Every structure is written in C-alpha cells, then in structure tokens.
Amino acid sequence: MAHALLETVFLRLKQIIGDPKALPPIPALIPVKKDMLVAKREKRSFSSTN
C-alpha cells in the first residue's frame, strides 16, 4: 500500500503507526511509537518537501 501513495496524500496518525484494536485492524506503515513520531515532528526532524 505504501508504494501506491501519492506525494500529496496526508495520512492520519493511526494510518502511519497502525491500530490493532480497530475493526478491521489497521497495519502500521512505519514501526514507530506515537511519542517518538510526535517528538520528531516537534523538533522538525523531518525533511521539507519543498
């Protein structure tokens, strides 16, 4: 699924980290915890798309 995503698509957090309790369960695209992902976003650790 990840290879089919367009560059302009926005994902919800649960689509990235997964949600095994959802019906149907959502598999994680990236094996990372929510706290780590939020901390990286706050530090602006991600490269810009511009």
Side-chain angles (χ1 to χ4, degrees), residues 5-49:
L5 294 175
L6 301 175
E7 291 182 17
T8 58
V9 170
F10 292 96
L11 298 173
R12 295 183 186 275
L13 183 61
K14 289 193 181 221
Q15 292 173 302
I16 298 171
I17 64 172
D19 185 3
K21 295 179 182 178
L23 293 175
I26 302 168
L29 293 177
I30 302 171
V32 66
K33 297 280 186 191
K34 176 184 174 184
D35 296 334
M36 184 176 187
L37 193 62
V38 170
K40 283 186 169 281
R41 185 194 65 190
E42 289 175 355
K43 283 184 171 181
R44 298 179 185 261
S45 296
F46 297 109
S47 60
S48 176
T49 58

